[in-house]
Amino acid sequence: MKENYDIVIIGGGPAGLAAAVSAYDNGAKNILILEREPRLGGILNQCIHNGFGLTRFKESLSGPEYAYRFIKEVEARDIDVLLNTTVLSLEDNKTITAINSEYGVFSITPKAVILSMGCRERSRGALNIPGSRPAGIYSAGTAQKYVNIKGYLPGKRVVILGSGDIGLIMARRMTLEGAKVLAVCEIMPYSSGLRRNIEQCLNDFNIPLYLNHTITKIEGTSRVTGVVVSKVDENKQPIEGTEMHFDCDTVLFSVGLIPENELTKGAGIEQSRNTRGAVVYQNRETMIDGIFACGNVLQVHDLVDFVSEESEIAGACAANYVLNGRQEHNPISCINGDNISYVLPQKIDKNIPGNVKLFFRVRNTFKHCKIVVESNGVVLQEKKKLICVPGEMETVILSSDVIAKAEGDIVVRLEC
Amino acid sequence: MNKQLTCIECPMGCLIEVEVENGAVKSVKGNTCLRGKMYAENEVICPLRVVTSTVKTVSGKMVSVKTDKPVRKSEIFEVMKKINSLTLDRNVVIGDVILANIDRDANLVATQNYND
């Protein structure tokens, strides 16, 4: 480790790796990645299924293979990496305090910081499901780590709550390893997972998906012995008399991901209530100069290919910050209008040249609809869509001409 | 006879309709790309899947693996049995064949470097 760094990247998963390579290739040569695990690659190391990289590499890779493409690129450059290193805090003057067994507790104050800590899973506690605290309850990602990294099968008869992609992937994975997956329950009337995963992870193995259903009771004291599953009404309240009982020894939760922003919060960086990540300009700079954020710590992406794309923006812009210093901002806000749950970036800096790709999610399933981008009641751009679903991120590219036309804040809304 | 399928080749998940006559594919509709057409043609005659899993090693660590070609869906559990009977006792790099011809001409290959 050196005394000083131009850029320190917190997190060596897909976001941090892509940001590091991009920062280096854009002229920053003094870069450090801090990673808490014993190897680079982040969550991709346990995502052994395929389907990664179709957008970026035009082939279907497993998670470890996708990660390795970027690890190779990092290794080919003079980029420092500290593994087994946990960052304890970040301050608004960019001082990072971290700990590992080699240096103990240490601090570094780089010229720029890139936040790429990824996200974590929502837990049982967030859902308030009655019952005691028996063994056998895992988040889908924890079960994935047990099976794929540690080589343990955490249970034999499994009920999964939530039909997010990780839950679907784990339904197949545990079935392949000999467990019986009895049910996947989804409180919403639709699955938030990809259609292909419903097909190849559930339908291939005749695993039933119960939409509009949730777990209302977990039974067992030392180990899970069963669950009660109930149908819910349109307000997501359980309907009496619809209870089904499943004998099972394991419950997996796949109920959403939350950006991992404790460090962000600690530094006093402004966060969005909609994304639960930092508020950023289109260059992925947060509201504190020289601190950038990218990947799932900023917004939970559907595909790692898009994490890489976003992180390359952050890396390049962090390099620009280091080489050219702070630039004056001339911001307008991007606001989510009707039927849109969030828009990112939340701010467009008119001083930064070039097109801006807006990322957003819709609140519900809409068919034959129209995405409208407007400013002060003037329509700047429209895009017709056959179907929009909350599980799939939408994008609109605004050209610099369009951005120049915006007099006030930009609003993105969906018209049906 | 018409069959409705959800394509699994990419995240788009196209809804495909295949017309089958006398055990042969007559037409494919709804696909966006050539991969989708090939998927649909296989799916109604002999469904194929890439299997991904892990192989244990003598050190106790797990190494991630996949079949380098899709295997017959009907043979997935046979393939899993073969995978779980293996114990890797050598170092491998991504792409190394761990077990040849695990189903027909599909090989089991490493998707992770393993260096004990």
Side-chain angles (χ1 to χ4, degrees), chain A residues 35-240:
Chain A
E35 168 56 46
R36 72 179 169 192
E37 291 287 321
R39 56 180 162 179
L40 292 171
I43 204 68
L44 287 172
N45 287 320
Q46 68 181 61
C47 299
I48 62 160
H49 52 281
N50 64 344
F52 299 94
L54 282 162
T55 307
R56 191 181 181 95
F57 298 115
K58 308 285 175 249
E59 55 182 309
S60 180
L61 302 170
S62 69
E65 289 173 302
Y66 187 95
Y68 189 63
R69 301 257 168 135
F70 285 87
I71 293 170
K72 251 189 337 199
E73 295 297 321
V74 167
E75 285 172 352
R77 290 164 177 77
D78 186 18
I79 295 171
D80 285 358
V81 176
L82 282 180
L83 300 173
N84 298 303
T85 303
T86 300
V87 174
L88 302 172
S89 70
L90 168 69
E91 286 161 50
D92 56 5
N93 67 356
K94 306 188 201 72
T95 297
I96 294 167
T97 304
I99 185 167
N100 67 21
S101 56
E102 196 181 346
Y103 300 103
V105 176
F106 61 94
S107 290
I108 339 167
T109 307
K111 291 179 189 154
V113 175
I114 299 177
L115 306 173
S116 51
M117 296 88 80
C119 58
R120 64 163 181 256
E121 296 176 279
R122 281 179 78 206
S123 63
R124 177 189 177 190
L127 303 174
N128 290 322
I129 296 171
S132 56
R133 299 168 63 90
I137 304 173
Y138 306 92
S139 69
T142 304
Q144 188 178 47
K145 187 170 183 174
Y146 276 129
V147 178
N148 294 346
I149 306 279
K150 305 279 182 198
Y152 308 140
L153 189 62
K156 295 275 172 61
R157 290 176 64 83
V158 187
V159 172
I160 300 177
L161 179 63
S163 61
D165 285 313
I166 314 169
L168 300 177
I169 293 288
M170 281 314 292
R172 174 177 64 181
R173 184 73 186 115
M174 293 198 59
T175 304
L176 287 178
E177 292 294 354
K180 173 85 184 157
V181 179
L182 303 163
V184 175
C185 308
E186 171 60 58
I187 197 166
M188 303 301 282
Y190 53 83
S191 164
S192 56
L194 296 168
R195 279 196 293 265
R196 68 194 291 243
N197 285 337
I198 306 270
E199 192 61 31
Q200 62 182 349
C201 298
L202 300 188
N203 297 349
D204 271 7
F205 302 98
N206 301 315
I207 299 169
L209 171 62
Y210 295 96
L211 297 173
N212 297 305
H213 279 75
T214 191
I215 294 178
T216 42
K217 193 177 177 197
I218 297 175
E219 298 166 347
T221 45
S222 59
R223 177 81 196 192
V224 174
T225 57
V227 294
V228 175
V229 169
S230 303
K231 195 167 193 236
V232 298
D233 62 21
E234 59 272 21
N235 300 317
K236 301 192 187 65
Q237 294 305 307
I239 303 170
E240 236 183 291

Side-chain angles (χ1 to χ4, degrees), chain A residues 39 48-50 54 60 62 64-65 68 148-149 151 173 175-177 194-196 199-200 204-205 303, chain B residues 6 8-13 49-50 52-54 62 64 66 73 76-77 80 84 94 111-113:
Chain A
R39 56 180 162 179
I48 62 160
H49 52 281
N50 64 344
L54 282 162
S60 180
S62 69
E65 289 173 302
Y68 189 63
N148 294 346
I149 306 279
R173 184 73 186 115
T175 304
L176 287 178
E177 292 294 354
L194 296 168
R195 279 196 293 265
R196 68 194 291 243
E199 192 61 31
Q200 62 182 349
D204 271 7
F205 302 98
L303 299 178
Chain B
T6 302
I8 62 167
E9 289 293 315
C10 88
M12 281 175 70
R49 297 286 182 271
V50 168
T52 61
S53 188
T54 50
M62 308 302 285
S64 61
K66 70 176 179 190
K73 191 174 140 186
I76 288 177
F77 285 97
M80 280 303 297
N84 283 339
I94 290 177
T111 59
Q112 214 166 27
N113 297 339

